[in-house]
Amino acid sequence: MGTSQNRAERLLALMDVLRDGQLHRAEDLAATLGVSLRTIYRDMKTLMASGVAIEGARGTGYRAQTALTLPPLNLTETELEALHIGLAVVGTGMEGELRAAAESLSAKIDAVLPEEAGGVVQGFGFASYPFDLSARALRHLEPLRTAIRAKQKLRLVTQDGARDVRPLKLRYWGRVWVLAVWDETGNAFAEQRVDQITEITPLPGLFVEEPGKSLRDFEAQL
């Protein structure tokens, strides 16, 4: 590898060499990558500062630790939802080591995830948010999104009974999915946790926005 390669590629190459867990002298790394010893020292300092779990120092050599540490990430609400879906899929569809890893990762995320003001206090992942509830919520997300886009009235069944609603918006608190609705049975806005829905039935006909019953009216009252 020549010195002309960009730094990002060089850092990735360094991580690839170190991932075998063996001790590597800085001189050998410099020779492998075709760069100066000073460049290796600077790159190792950069990797360590970025959260890559590397141990070692000048004169002794470097090795990657078994556990890797990711740098801090700023996730959007949608990205966090995608992460939750992915963990739920692994947790419900796999057994053994992968399921255990999903549980462990969920617990780590839950430990650093801030509580949402006014939100539902509930575990992000599987330590306190059981697999069956996550799977149930996953099954409902697509039909609910479809109904929202089509303005399709729905009958929702939960352990508290059935009610006819106008689905307005799926909200994600970083912990659970919540469906905002105009509850025609109760004649009021309401929010329903998706994992608590046991059955969804589309009702005949679509709804149109009416004053006092729209998403805009719902959000105005928050």
Side-chain angles (χ1 to χ4, degrees), residues 118-129:
V120 182
V121 180
Q122 184 73 34
F124 169 82
F126 308 124
S128 57
Y129 195 46

Side-chain angles (χ1 to χ4, degrees), residues 39-176:
T39 296
I40 291 297
Y41 290 147
R42 185 173 62 247
D43 286 350
M44 297 308 296
K45 184 177 180 180
T46 298
L47 288 175
M48 291 177 177
S50 298
V52 178
I54 295 174
E55 60 183 10
R58 297 186 184 188
T60 61
Y62 301 91
R63 79 178 69 184
Q65 299 175 6
T66 302
L68 296 180
T69 302
L70 295 174
L73 298 174
N74 293 317
L75 301 180
T76 66
E77 188 174 290
T78 304
E79 289 169 340
L80 190 59
E81 180 180 353
L83 179 59
H84 195 175
I85 291 173
L87 285 173
V89 168
V90 174
T92 56
M94 301 293 181
E95 295 294 338
E97 189 177 64
L98 282 177
R99 176 168 177 155
E103 292 176 336
S104 175
L105 179 55
S106 297
K108 290 177 181 178
I109 296 173
D110 191 57
V112 298
L113 198 64
E115 297 292 342
E116 295 285 353
V120 182
V121 180
Q122 184 73 34
F124 169 82
F126 308 124
S128 57
Y129 195 46
F131 286 110
D132 60 336
L133 297 185
S134 297
R136 185 182 303 165
L138 285 175
R139 289 196 298 269
H140 293 325
L141 290 181
E142 189 53 37
L144 288 176
R145 287 191 172 110
T146 299
I148 291 171
R149 290 193 297 266
K151 297 188 182 300
Q152 175 75 59
K153 292 183 181 181
L154 300 173
R155 177 163 295 156
L156 304 181
V157 178
T158 68
Q159 61 182 3
D160 297 323
R163 54 179 170 169
D164 296 346
V165 304
R166 300 182 181 192
L168 302 176
K169 183 178 182 179
L170 275 169
R171 297 158 56 83
Y172 189 66
W173 290 100
R175 309 284 175 168
V176 293

Side-chain angles (χ1 to χ4, degrees), residues 157-204:
V157 178
T158 68
Q159 61 182 3
D160 297 323
R163 54 179 170 169
D164 296 346
V165 304
R166 300 182 181 192
L168 302 176
K169 183 178 182 179
L170 275 169
R171 297 158 56 83
Y172 189 66
W173 290 100
R175 309 284 175 168
V176 293
W177 287 277
V178 178
L179 177 67
V181 304
W182 170 260
D183 184 352
E184 297 200 330
T185 303
N187 198 37
F189 289 115
E191 290 188 292
Q192 172 64 54
R193 274 180 51 176
V194 175
D195 62 85
Q196 294 179 342
I197 299 173
T198 58
E199 185 179 337
I200 299 175
T201 303
L203 298 176

